[in-house]
Amino acid sequence: MENEIYSEQKTKPDIRELTIERGLGYPSEEELLMLILNKGTRETPVEQLAHKAMKVINTSNPEDLVVQLTRIDGIGYAKALALAAAVEFGRRRNGYLKSIITSPLDILPYVKHFALEQREHFVSIALNGSREIIEEHVVSVGTSRRTMVHPREVFNHAVRVNASGIICCHNHPFGKCLPSREDMNVTSRLLLAGEILGITLLDHIIITQDSYFSFLEHGMLKKSVGKERNPLEGQGQGGASLGGHSRDEDPIEQEQPDEDPQDEDPLDAAIFERSLL
């Protein structure tokens, strides 16, 4: 069925002719990939290859991109390398690796494409001391309603690139753009782990196709600490379920303060506020 849809598009003007006529600003992102691929195979037209390649590019880490692209029927190492090189060239030319993040809105252009995914993607963006982006890393991919995240997986990447801070982001494929209890629990664990490692969690952002939610903007980075809940609590409700750990993992101890947890919070929320102002 998919091949039939793409075969019908062969009657349309050639994208190369249109690009020459109207300029490089005319093609869509998938059509740019079509220009790089040049042609498809007997079984798979170039339009379909570009569509599949776009999905892989949007959800793969740089170090895995070539291998992931070669898993698409019709794309060998030569085409995969050409696509990956084009992606890297674009990142270098548009300043992606040195973009300065001063507010949650600044990070949205780099993660908004995950809002189109039908499965949850948890992403960590590493920043240096000047709040410049070092690297974006897909930590985990889950189901349409759930993905498992452990602090060691998030901070393993941050430590490797010598980050001083991270911004985490995940998409809600279905449901409201609001944090679930498990989202809050994960944020709490990441705050505590970051304090120990000396890598600041600057924000945790939830995105959907038409909205976003920032823990920083809602003053919830401080509130998350000390409010750790049972990972099983709240499952089955709306939104994603990010929490949980296997039996062989050591969970961070659950705190049950009698007083306002903000008074006992060892982290100063002002640190995070100042870091993104």
Side-chain angles (χ1 to χ4, degrees):
M1 181 64 180
E2 190 174 17
N3 284 337
E4 293 177 3
I5 294 175
Y6 285 107
S7 64
E8 293 175 0
Q9 297 178 356
K10 293 182 179 180
T11 60
K12 297 181 180 180
D14 190 282
I15 187 60
R16 288 172 291 190
E17 298 174 2
L18 291 172
T19 301
I20 293 172
E21 177 184 342
R22 304 183 185 185
L24 282 170
Y26 172 77
S28 66
E29 291 183 351
E30 283 192 17
E31 288 169 337
L32 287 173
L33 296 185
M34 289 168 55
L35 292 173
I36 297 171
L37 291 168
N38 189 31
K39 60 182 179 180
T41 65
R42 181 177 299 178
E43 296 79 16
T44 310
V46 67
E47 295 90 347
Q48 188 175 346
L49 281 181
H51 178 71
K52 292 181 177 180
M54 177 61 71
K55 296 182 71 174
V56 170
I57 290 170
N58 284 342
T59 58
S60 297
N61 295 314
E63 63 269 23
D64 303 323
L65 182 55
V66 172
V67 173
Q68 294 297 330
L69 285 170
T70 58
R71 293 178 178 175
I72 300 173
D73 289 338
I75 295 183
Y77 276 100
K79 288 183 177 180
L81 282 170
L83 290 170
V87 171
E88 180 61 23
F89 182 76
R91 284 176 176 170
R92 294 183 186 184
R93 287 298 297 268
N94 66 20
Y96 168 84
L97 295 180
K98 290 296 181 180
S99 297
I100 298 176
I101 306 302
T102 60
S103 71
L105 282 175
D106 291 339
I107 205 69
L108 292 182
Y110 304 105
V111 296
K112 63 182 181 180
H113 58 274
F114 290 105
L116 301 175
E117 296 298 323
Q118 299 301 303
R119 296 192 295 169
E120 272 203 6
H121 289 66
F122 193 97
V123 183
S124 173
I125 298 93
L127 296 92
N128 61 23
S130 299
R131 296 298 177 257
E132 296 174 327
I133 294 178
I134 302 175
E135 191 173 286
E136 178 184 290
H137 184 77
V138 179
V139 177
S140 65
V141 179
T143 65
S144 62
R145 297 183 62 83
R146 179 184 181 88
T147 184
M148 303 294 289
V149 176
H150 193 281
R152 67 166 173 254
E153 299 165 348
V154 176
F155 286 100
N156 176 57
H157 158 252
V159 170
R160 179 172 56 82
V161 298
N162 198 30
S164 67
I166 61 170
I167 295 176
C168 292
C169 174
H170 78 277
N171 62 313
H172 278 185
F174 305 101
K176 299 179 180 179
C177 192
L178 293 172
S180 67
R181 290 182 177 180
E182 297 308 320
D183 293 336
M184 297 182 205
N185 288 348
V186 165
T187 304
S188 177
R189 289 196 288 272
L190 292 176
L191 281 166
L192 291 169
E195 181 193 17
I196 294 170
L197 293 171
I199 300 175
T200 306
L201 175 66
L202 299 170
D203 202 355
H204 183 181
I205 299 173
I206 301 169
I207 57 172
T208 60
Q209 293 190 29
D210 56 5
S211 186
Y212 81 95
F213 181 97
S214 163
F215 275 69
L216 175 67
E217 288 184 342
H218 287 79
M220 294 178 65
L221 285 178
K222 182 175 180 180
K223 293 178 182 178
S224 293
V225 178
K227 286 192 174 182
E228 183 84 350
R229 292 184 175 87
N230 188 316
L232 298 178
E233 185 179 1
Q235 290 185 9
Q237 300 181 6
S241 178
L242 298 179
H245 43 74
S246 60
R247 293 182 180 179
D248 60 346
E249 294 173 347
D250 295 326
I252 295 174
E253 289 189 11
Q254 182 172 333
E255 296 182 17
Q256 300 293 342
D258 295 328
E259 303 177 31
D260 187 331
Q262 297 186 34
D263 297 333
E264 298 184 358
D265 181 9
L267 299 178
D268 183 358
I271 296 176
F272 305 108
E273 294 288 348
R274 287 196 299 272
S275 66
L276 289 183
L277 290 179

